Amino acid sequence: RKIDHLILLFDGRLMYDGSVKDNQLLQYFSQRGYPKPDDYNIADWIMTVAQSTPIAELETAGFFLQNDAGNTEIEEIDDSEETYDRKKNPIQRVGWPTEIFLLFGREMKRLRRDRLALLVRVGSTGFFGLFYGLIYLNIGKTDLSDALNLQAEFGAIANLLISTMFGVAQSSLLDFPKDRPVFLREYSTNHYSVVPYFLSRLSIECTVTFCQTLVQLLAAYFLMSLRMRFVVFLAINFVLAIASTSIGIVIGSIVEDPSVAAELMPVLIVPQLLFSGFFISIDLIPSFLRWAQYLCSFTYAIRLSSYYEFGDCEYDTCLDLLYRNGVFELDTVWYWVILLSITIVFRITGMVFLRSKASFK
């Protein structure tokens, strides 16, 4: 807002030379077929146009025409011995550890600047944990020979896992498209590599996600008096949350508009719930659709939780629940491995999608 005059160069050619007041810059780009979307600021948008649009299209649009709205083309500089030689003096890039450190520092600064959003995010999960804890107060002390008690305890576990998945995945799904233009601009100008960017984001997400799941379980676990160990249930919730954010990042990498990402939220959540065995037994789902359960991270989280909560129960009601939901289909170690694999595969997929949308000029 403090800039009066802007000179925008593209590959040594003058793309814009004029005032930024009275929306002149916006009008200039709009008249050439590149109006600014609502979710971009003007600086990000003009850089995105310059970096992602082929130069032939920009020429056709009229960005480099001489004497057009004060725009003139810069004379080409003649090559000489004094000209900077990129081959003799290549750009020195720092290593991945340095890039990760700097990107992580930037993410930490952003968290500190937006403390209110962080407090609301963590506080809301704590509230729901307390709410579920009071609803299912001491449910873990009931007699499991009664099918109603068993179903209620299973519902308590499932609702906590659903709350974890909703609270964490939704934030990633909505936040990532907002950061996408910044990444595309900085990556396409060779500021850093895609892997350090994702690793720095993963480290921040792990920190915030762990705080969310910890606060929620501290509020709910002891009120419910669940049978499994606290550390085990915390680990299940944490891995499920990270897997859910990975799926959300893939969707966020594909779409550009945060509102579109919000509309895709049911695609992320609804199949997870339907194939978990909570609302309907897996045996009752048509056989030609059952394969979809193996793509859902929530399925493995609910199986792990069921095993650790009811695995020592010898009542027929418990065994029937465990068998109907396929808990004994694989060893528990494989459920952990699959959850971690889902996280890795979707993170890599998100990197590939995002990298494909950026290009070096």
Side-chain angles (χ1 to χ4, degrees):
R1 294 180 180 178
K2 296 182 180 180
I3 297 175
D4 297 318
H5 193 93
L6 173 68
I7 298 176
L8 179 62
L9 296 177
F10 180 90
D11 199 23
R13 303 174 65 184
L14 196 59
M15 190 170 173
Y16 180 80
D17 180 8
S19 174
V20 296
K21 295 182 178 180
D22 301 324
N23 293 325
Q24 292 185 32
L25 180 60
L26 290 175
Q27 293 174 5
Y28 182 82
F29 274 75
S30 298
Q31 290 169 359
R32 284 154 181 78
Y34 295 91
K36 183 184 75 68
D38 293 335
D39 57 327
Y40 277 80
N41 64 56
I42 182 60
D44 284 338
W45 177 240
I46 64 175
M47 294 297 290
T48 300
V49 171
Q51 294 164 2
S52 61
T53 308
I55 191 169
E57 293 185 15
L58 294 176
E59 290 177 341
T60 304
F63 280 100
F64 303 116
L65 293 179
Q66 293 185 1
N67 301 321
D68 184 21
N71 236 5
T72 58
E73 190 172 333
I74 293 178
E75 296 181 2
E76 295 185 0
I77 300 175
D78 294 332
D79 293 333
S80 65
E81 294 181 359
E82 298 180 357
T83 304
Y84 181 81
D85 191 341
R86 288 182 178 270
K87 294 182 179 180
K88 294 181 180 179
N89 303 279
I91 297 174
Q92 298 295 324
R93 294 196 56 173
V94 299
W96 281 8
T98 303
E99 291 182 358
I100 294 173
F101 175 77
L102 294 175
L103 288 169
F104 179 82
R106 185 173 71 175
E107 294 294 329
M108 287 298 297
K109 289 179 181 178
R110 189 170 68 169
L111 281 180
R112 290 196 296 268
R113 290 169 181 167
D114 199 4
R115 292 190 183 95
L116 180 60
L118 179 62
L119 291 175
V120 171
R121 185 172 172 180
V122 176
S124 62
T125 56
F127 169 79
F128 281 109
L130 180 62
F131 180 73
Y132 286 127
L134 293 175
I135 292 293
Y136 295 99
L137 186 63
N138 292 325
I139 193 65
K141 296 180 179 180
T142 57
D143 183 9
L144 294 179
S145 62
D146 188 335
L148 292 178
N149 292 336
L150 175 66
Q151 191 63 34
E153 190 168 342
F154 179 68
I157 295 171
N159 276 303
L160 279 177
L161 292 173
I162 291 171
S163 179
T164 297
M165 187 169 60
F166 260 108
V168 176
Q170 185 175 12
S171 298
S172 296
L173 186 62
L174 298 179
D175 288 345
F176 201 80
K178 297 178 182 177
D179 298 334
R180 190 170 173 271
V182 177
F183 167 80
L184 292 178
R185 182 184 73 235
E186 295 177 343
Y187 176 76
S188 61
T189 52
N190 208 17
H191 278 60
Y192 46 75
S193 302
V194 65
V195 175
Y197 174 76
F198 268 78
L199 290 178
S200 64
R201 283 192 65 94
L202 176 62
S203 59
I204 290 292
E205 287 171 7
C206 287
T207 302
V208 176
T209 298
F210 181 78
C211 292
Q212 283 186 267
T213 54
L214 179 62
V215 169
Q216 177 173 266
L217 291 189
L218 285 174
Y221 175 87
F222 299 101
L223 289 174
M224 292 181 177
S225 302
L226 297 178
R227 304 169 200 271
M228 75 177 94
R229 290 186 300 165
F230 176 81
V231 175
V232 172
F233 197 36
L234 176 62
I236 294 172
N237 275 267
F238 176 72
V239 176
L240 172 64
I242 294 299
S244 299
T245 58
S246 301
I247 300 172
I249 283 175
V250 171
I251 298 176
S253 300
I254 297 173
V255 301
E256 300 181 7
D257 191 343
S259 62
V260 176
E263 294 296 332
L264 292 175
M265 192 68 184
V267 177
L268 173 62
I269 299 298
V270 173
Q272 305 266 1
L273 303 181
L274 293 178
F275 291 101
S276 65
F278 176 55
F279 292 102
I280 182 173
S281 174
I282 299 298
D283 293 337
L284 298 178
I285 297 176
S287 57
F288 65 90
L289 289 176
R290 290 178 196 167
W291 61 269
Q293 65 180 301
Y294 301 110
L295 302 177
C296 302
S297 57
F298 188 70
T299 297
Y300 304 107
I302 202 73
R303 288 184 180 183
L304 282 171
S305 301
S306 299
Y307 175 81
Y308 289 116
E309 184 73 8
F310 308 117
D312 296 331
C313 177
E314 298 180 353
Y315 293 118
D316 291 339
T317 52
C318 297
L319 295 175
D320 181 59
L321 175 69
L322 295 175
Y323 277 108
R324 279 190 294 107
N325 291 320
V327 174
F328 297 121
E329 187 173 339
L330 293 174
D331 189 79
T332 54
V333 173
W334 287 109
Y335 293 142
W336 288 107
V337 171
I338 293 172
L339 276 175
L340 293 174
S341 299
I342 289 174
T343 301
I344 295 172
V345 169
F346 278 98
R347 290 275 168 176
I348 294 175
T349 303
M351 284 194 295
V352 172
F353 275 118
L354 202 58
R355 187 180 185 278
S356 66
K357 297 180 180 295
S359 59
F360 292 102
K361 296 294 183 183

